[in-house]
Amino acid sequence: MRTRPLKVALLGCGVVGSEVARIMTAHAEDLAARIGAPVELAGVAVRRPGKVREGIDPALITTDPTALVKRGDIDVVVEVIGGIEPARGLITEAFAHGASVVSANKALLAKDGAALHAAAARYGRDLYYEAAVAGAIPLIRPLRESLAGDKVNRVLGIVNGTTNFILDKMDTTGAGYQEALDEATALGYAEADPTADVEGFDAAAKAAILAGIAFHTRVRLDDVYREGMTEVTSADFASARAMGCTIKLLAICERAADGGSVTARVHPAMLPLSHPLASVREAYNAVFVESEAAGRLMFYGPGAGGSPTASAVLGDLVAVCRNKLGEATGPGESAYTNLPVSAMGEVVTRYHISLDVADKPGVLAQVATVFAEHGVSIDTVRQQSRPDFQDTASDGGEASLVVVTHRAPDAALSGTVEALRGLDTVRGVASIMRVEGE
Amino acid sequence: MRTRPLKVALLGCGVVGSEVARIMTAHAEDLAARIGAPVELAGVAVRRPGKVREGIDPALITTDPTALVKRGDIDVVVEVIGGIEPARGLITEAFAHGASVVSANKALLAKDGAALHAAAARYGRDLYYEAAVAGAIPLIRPLRESLAGDKVNRVLGIVNGTTNFILDKMDTTGAGYQEALDEATALGYAEADPTADVEGFDAAAKAAILAGIAFHTRVRLDDVYREGMTEVTSADFASARAMGCTIKLLAICERAADGGSVTARVHPAMLPLSHPLASVREAYNAVFVESEAAGRLMFYGPGAGGSPTASAVLGDLVAVCRNKLGEATGPGESAYTNLPVSAMGEVVTRYHISLDVADKPGVLAQVATVFAEHGVSIDTVRQQSRPDFQDTASDGGEASLVVVTHRAPDAALSGTVEALRGLDTVRGVASIMRVEGE
C-alpha cells in the first residue's frame, strides 16, 4: 500500500461536510485499505471560521476556497456547498489545478452538468456525484455502470423526502396539506421556506440528472416539466383510494414509444397500491427503473440527511481516489444518443378528472362529447348526486362526475379539460391528476 | 473512438448465453459508444454444436472451450456455464492468456472466490460477477463501490426466486408446500429437481458472496449455516399472520455486535409485514442492507431469467472492456478485515416456538422454567385449548402453546427446544421458526 496520503479538500462543512470529515477520521484505516493509500483532509473551506467544529484541526479551516482548490497538491475536492456560484467556479478551478471532484450539488449538475463534464474531460479528471440524487441510494452508479449494457426505457422516482413525508401523512392520517406540512417542518423534514421541495424544483433537478444518465443524452433543468403538490387535497386522496391508488410526487423520465425522443417531468400522480413505489413511506426515497433486459428494478433508501449523503460522497471519494492511484478516470458523461427532449404535451398519460356538474339529464352526454372531440377515450365514469349541494336554482342540484381516461397525449387531455371548463353545465373542475405506474 | 474491436469469448450458450449474444448484436452500436470501442463476439463454446442458434454465426461455434480461452487474442471471457469444473480451469486459463473474466457462476465464486481473485490479481485482470447474485439487481457494484466509504452491518436478502414464489403462493392462497411447489414447477420457476433451491443451497452460495463483499472478509460456502424451507406449513403461515408477519427464506449476513466476527446463514424466518422485504412478491428478489452512515437501503428486481441475468453480464462486460481500454483494472477482492466467521450457535436471534402440550395446570410454569434455565427470556406466550385433540387419557386434552422469545444466542434457543422435547407434558414441537427484521 502506498504510504503517501491522497489529499482531500472539503468545500463546505455543514450537515453533510462535517459528517464527511468525521467519517474520514473515524474510518481512516478502512478507507486506506479500500483505496490502497491513506486519505488526508488537507483543508476545509467554510463561511464561518469561528464556529467550533469537533474533530477538525482548526489549522485546516480556511475562508478562502479558491486558494484551497488552487494549491496544486489537492487530489480530490469534495464540494458540498450547494448552489450555482461559487461552486461552479471552484469545481472548474479544481479540475484546472489537478484535482478530481466529488459533488453533492444537484442544482448545479442539473443546470450545467454538460459544461462541468466537458471541463473534467478536458483536464482528465473525474466528476462523481452519487450524492446529488436520492442521498445514500446507489443510483447513478447502477444506472451508469450496472445497466451500461441494457436499454433503460423509464425511470419513475420518489426523489424528494419532504414531499413524500407530507403526502404519506395526508394519506395515512387524513390530514390536509397545511397540517402535514406543519408536522414536517416541526420534525425538521421541511425547511422554513419549503418552496424548493413542495413546488417540485428539487425533484426536477434530480429528474434532469437521472434522465440524462438513463438515456445517454443531455437533459437540462429547463427541459423538465414541473408541477408542485401544494394543491393536493384530502378529497384527492379519497378519490385515489376509490381507485385502489395512493398519491405520490413522482419524477418520471421516459423514452417515447418510437425511441426518438425522451421526456422528463415532475408532478403529483395517482399510483396503484400494488406498485412497489406505493409502499415507500415517510421521508424515504425510491427509484423504479424499467429496462429492456433487466426488467423492473427498484432502489430504496433514505434520500437526504447528513449521514446518508456523506455515505454517498465517501463511496465516490473511494472510487475517485482509486482512479487517481491507477492513473485512470471513471466513466464520464455519456450523451452520445443526443435525443431531443419533448414537451409535456407529447407525453402519453392518463387523467383522473373530478368535475362538479349540474345534476340534470344530458350532462354526461355533453361531457362525453367533449372527450370524443379531443380524441380522448374514457376508461370509467362515476356519477354521484350531491344532496349537500342542492340549491334552489331551477336547474336542480349538483352532481359530481369522476372521469378516468385511457392513455392519450397530455395536450389532448389538457385541451379536453379546458373545453369542459367552458360548458355551462360544468360548475367547476374540482381536481385533475395524472394516473401512473400501471 | 477506437475502431479495432475488443474480442469476447462466450463460454456457454444456454438461456443466459444466447441472450448475451443476442443483445451484443442488437445493441452493438450502443455498446461501442458506451465502451469507446466496438465489441465483437470472437467465439462461442457449446456442448451441442448441432443445435441451431439464431443470430450466431456458425463459424464462431466451438466445442473446445480450452482452445478458445487460450487463443491469446481474447480480451474478455464471459463464463455462463455454471458449476465448478470445467468453469474454474477455464477462468484461470483465460487470466493466464490475457483475458479478463465476467462470470455468473455463484457456486464457483462461493467455493473458490479467493483463489480466482488471487489469479486475476496475479495476471492483472478483472473478475466481475454481478450476475452471480440476484440476477439483474445491481448489488455487488453498489456494495463494493457505492458503499466503499461506509460500514455495512447487516445484509438481509430474498435471493432465491423459486422459494419466494412458493412461499408467496402459500401465504396468499393458503396452499401447502407441495401444491405451491407443483405450481412453481408448472410455471417453470422450479426445476425438475428443486433441491438446490428449496434446501437453500443456492441462497447459501449467494450469502457467502454477499457476506464476503459486505464485510471485506472471506466467507466460504461451508461457513454458511443453511436450513431449507420444505417443512414450512400452512399452520406456520397462520402463526406468522397472528404476529403480523409473513414467512420468507432469508439470506442473512451480520456483523457481531462487538464487530469482532461475522455470520452468514440461510433459513426461513418470520418477518413483520411492515418490513420492506415482506412485500416482495412472486419470484422477485430483494436485498436489504443496513449500514452505519447510509442507513437502510433496499435493492429490488428479478433475480433470475435469461434477459435479467444477461443485463447484469453486459453491465460487467462494458465495465471490463472500459478497464481494458484504459489499461486499468477495477476493484479486486477486498478481504483485509480478515474477520472470523462465527458458528450458528453464536447468532443472536428470536424464536417462535409452537408446542403441543397437555392441557393441565402447571404446564406453563414447567415450560417457562426450561426457558429460564437456558437464560432465554420470553416475550409473549399464547395458550389455547384444542378441543379437537381432546382424548380419553386421564390427563385430559391437549393445548397448543405458542412462545415468542426475546433475542438470545441461537445455541441457547436450540438448547431450550431440546430440553422442552424432554418434558413429559410436551407432546411435540409443532414448529420452530426464527423471527427477523425487527
Side-chain angles (χ1 to χ4, degrees):
Chain A
M1 188 162 84
R2 189 176 106 161
T3 52
R4 188 163 54 84
L6 288 153
K7 293 190 177 176
V8 176
L10 185 57
L11 309 184
C13 198
V15 178
V16 176
S18 59
E19 186 65 9
V20 169
R22 189 193 67 75
I23 297 175
M24 280 184 68
T25 307
H27 294 296
E29 283 179 32
D30 282 314
L31 292 172
R34 295 172 194 183
I35 290 166
V39 278
E40 175 185 289
L41 202 54
V44 182
V46 301
R47 271 186 304 185
R48 288 175 296 161
K51 191 175 159 191
V52 176
R53 295 167 204 277
E54 206 179 331
I56 297 179
D57 180 354
L60 297 178
I61 303 289
T62 173
T63 52
D64 187 349
T66 307
L68 181 57
V69 300
K70 284 185 170 178
R71 262 172 52 171
D73 67 335
I74 301 296
D75 293 290
V76 185
V77 167
V78 172
E79 184 271 304
V80 287
I81 306 175
I84 305 303
E85 289 294 355
R88 178 167 53 190
L90 291 167
I91 290 174
T92 312
E93 287 292 351
F95 291 146
H97 290 82
S100 282
V101 172
V102 174
S103 170
N105 194 330
K106 56 188 168 274
L108 178 57
L109 265 305
K111 186 173 190 307
D112 273 327
L116 292 174
H117 275 295
R122 193 162 56 244
Y123 292 106
R125 319 284 180 223
D126 275 330
L127 172 62
Y128 277 47
Y129 46 92
E130 182 67 78
V133 181
I137 310 174
L139 201 55
I140 291 179
R141 187 172 277 103
L143 279 172
R144 196 153 76 158
E145 301 179 38
S146 306
L147 292 169
D150 204 337
K151 186 179 180 186
V152 174
N153 288 321
R154 199 151 188 257
V155 177
L156 202 66
I158 295 169
V159 294
N160 181 276
T162 307
T163 48
N164 200 56
F165 180 89
I166 295 171
L167 291 170
D168 183 37
K169 283 295 147 193
M170 291 176 72
D171 191 17
T172 53
T173 70
Y177 166 72
Q178 189 59 49
E179 189 186 341
L181 171 62
D182 290 345
E183 186 177 349
T185 310
L187 291 169
Y189 287 124
E191 295 182 49
D193 176 0
T195 309
D197 293 320
V198 300
E199 294 296 352
F201 292 100
D202 174 85
K206 293 164 179 171
I209 296 171
L210 287 175
I213 294 172
F215 305 133
H216 299 268
T217 195
R218 277 188 192 140
V219 179
R220 291 168 52 97
L221 185 52
D222 294 344
D223 297 325
V224 182
Y225 173 83
R226 181 192 52 75
E227 267 177 41
M229 44 68 76
T230 58
E231 288 171 24
V232 176
T233 63
S234 307
D236 291 327
F237 273 103
S239 298
R241 265 190 296 275
M243 288 183 65
C245 286
T246 185
I247 297 170
K248 295 291 187 188
L249 182 72
L250 296 179
I252 305 175
C253 312
E254 279 175 322
R255 194 188 289 276
D258 68 1
S261 63
V262 299
T263 51
R265 52 192 164 118
V266 168
H267 55 72
M270 293 187 180
L271 191 75
L273 291 172
S274 58
H275 194 283
L277 287 177
S279 52
V280 175
R281 304 283 312 276
E282 306 209 311
Y284 274 89
N285 279 200
V287 176
F288 193 76
V289 177
E290 294 175 26
S291 77
E292 201 171 275
R296 297 153 56 102
L297 302 171
M298 189 173 76
F299 304 84
Y300 165 98
S307 283
T309 309
S311 171
V313 166
L314 285 158
D316 279 354
L317 181 65
V318 169
V320 169
C321 286
R322 284 182 42 85
N323 290 344
K324 272 264 167 186
L325 286 183
E327 293 175 5
T329 51
E333 187 190 29
S334 175
Y336 72 94
T337 64
N338 201 20
L339 292 169
V341 184
S342 299
M344 187 62 200
E346 294 176 43
V347 168
V348 175
T349 181
R350 297 173 65 196
Y351 271 26
H352 176 285
I353 305 165
S354 188
L355 302 171
D356 294 329
V357 296
D359 192 3
K360 62 180 187 185
V363 172
L364 181 54
Q366 214 178 10
V367 165
T369 302
V370 172
F371 280 89
E373 283 168 357
H374 288 79
V376 174
S377 168
I378 291 175
D379 180 16
T380 58
V381 178
R382 203 172 68 241
Q383 193 168 10
Q384 202 169 9
S385 287
R386 293 173 58 179
D388 52 319
F389 277 81
Q390 206 83 34
D391 62 28
T392 53
S394 61
D395 57 354
E398 200 165 82
S400 125
L401 200 62
V402 173
V403 181
V404 183
T405 73
H406 280 300
R407 284 163 59 82
D410 203 81
L413 291 161
S414 57
T416 306
V417 173
E418 274 321 293
L420 289 171
R421 284 188 208 274
L423 292 181
D424 59 0
T425 47
V426 171
R427 307 279 173 80
V429 179
S431 90
I432 311 163
M433 201 170 295
R434 297 181 185 87
V435 184
E436 298 288 338
E438 288 168 308
Chain B
M1 186 161 85
R2 190 176 106 161
T3 52
R4 187 163 55 84
L6 287 153
K7 294 190 175 178
V8 175
L10 185 58
L11 309 184
C13 198
V15 177
V16 176
S18 59
E19 186 64 9
V20 169
R22 188 193 68 74
I23 297 175
M24 279 183 68
T25 307
H27 294 297
E29 283 179 32
D30 282 315
L31 291 172
R34 295 171 195 184
I35 291 167
V39 279
E40 172 186 292
L41 202 54
V44 182
V46 302
R47 271 186 305 184
R48 288 174 296 162
K51 191 175 159 190
V52 175
R53 295 168 204 278
E54 206 180 329
I56 297 179
D57 180 354
L60 297 178
I61 302 289
T62 172
T63 53
D64 187 350
T66 307
L68 180 57
V69 301
K70 284 185 170 176
R71 263 172 50 172
D73 67 335
I74 302 295
D75 293 292
V76 185
V77 167
V78 173
E79 183 271 305
V80 286
I81 306 175
I84 306 301
E85 289 293 355
R88 178 167 53 190
L90 291 167
I91 290 174
T92 311
E93 288 292 355
F95 291 146
H97 290 83
S100 282
V101 173
V102 175
S103 170
N105 195 328
K106 56 188 169 275
L108 178 56
L109 265 305
K111 188 174 188 304
D112 274 327
L116 291 174
H117 275 295
R122 194 161 59 244
Y123 291 107
R125 318 285 181 225
D126 274 329
L127 171 62
Y128 277 49
Y129 45 92
E130 183 67 76
V133 181
I137 310 174
L139 202 56
I140 291 179
R141 186 172 279 105
L143 279 173
R144 196 153 78 160
E145 301 179 38
S146 306
L147 292 170
D150 204 338
K151 187 179 181 187
V152 175
N153 288 321
R154 199 152 188 256
V155 177
L156 203 67
I158 295 170
V159 293
N160 181 276
T162 307
T163 49
N164 200 55
F165 181 89
I166 295 171
L167 291 169
D168 184 36
K169 284 293 148 196
M170 291 177 72
D171 190 17
T172 53
T173 69
Y177 167 71
Q178 190 59 48
E179 189 186 338
L181 171 62
D182 290 346
E183 185 177 349
T185 310
L187 290 170
Y189 287 125
E191 295 181 48
D193 175 1
T195 310
D197 293 320
V198 300
E199 294 296 353
F201 292 102
D202 174 83
K206 292 164 177 170
I209 296 172
L210 286 175
I213 293 172
F215 305 133
H216 299 268
T217 195
R218 279 192 189 136
V219 180
R220 291 168 52 97
L221 186 52
D222 294 345
D223 297 325
V224 182
Y225 173 83
R226 181 193 53 75
E227 269 177 40
M229 46 67 75
T230 58
E231 288 172 23
V232 176
T233 63
S234 307
D236 291 328
F237 273 102
S239 298
R241 263 190 296 275
M243 287 183 65
C245 286
T246 184
I247 297 171
K248 295 291 186 187
L249 183 72
L250 296 178
I252 305 174
C253 312
E254 280 176 321
R255 194 187 289 277
D258 68 0
S261 64
V262 298
T263 51
R265 53 192 164 117
V266 169
H267 55 71
M270 292 186 182
L271 190 74
L273 291 172
S274 58
H275 194 283
L277 287 178
S279 52
V280 176
R281 304 283 311 276
E282 307 209 312
Y284 274 88
N285 280 201
V287 175
F288 193 77
V289 177
E290 294 175 25
S291 76
E292 204 173 274
R296 297 153 56 103
L297 302 172
M298 188 172 78
F299 304 85
Y300 165 98
S307 284
T309 309
S311 170
V313 166
L314 284 159
D316 279 354
L317 181 66
V318 169
V320 168
C321 285
R322 284 183 43 85
N323 290 345
K324 272 264 169 185
L325 285 184
E327 292 175 5
T329 51
E333 186 190 28
S334 175
Y336 71 93
T337 63
N338 202 21
L339 293 168
V341 184
S342 299
M344 187 63 200
E346 294 178 41
V347 169
V348 174
T349 181
R350 299 173 63 196
Y351 271 26
H352 176 285
I353 305 165
S354 189
L355 302 171
D356 295 328
V357 298
D359 192 3
K360 62 180 187 185
V363 171
L364 181 54
Q366 216 180 7
V367 165
T369 302
V370 171
F371 279 89
E373 283 168 358
H374 287 79
V376 173
S377 169
I378 291 175
D379 180 15
T380 58
V381 178
R382 202 172 70 241
Q383 194 169 8
Q384 201 168 13
S385 287
R386 292 174 58 179
D388 51 318
F389 278 80
Q390 205 85 30
D391 64 25
T392 53
S394 60
D395 58 356
E398 200 165 80
S400 125
L401 201 63
V402 173
V403 181
V404 182
T405 73
H406 281 300
R407 285 163 60 82
D410 203 80
L413 292 160
S414 58
T416 306
V417 173
E418 274 320 293
L420 290 171
R421 285 187 207 276
L423 292 183
D424 59 359
T425 47
V426 171
R427 307 278 172 78
V429 178
S431 90
I432 312 164
M433 199 167 297
R434 296 180 186 89
V435 183
E436 298 288 340
E438 290 168 307

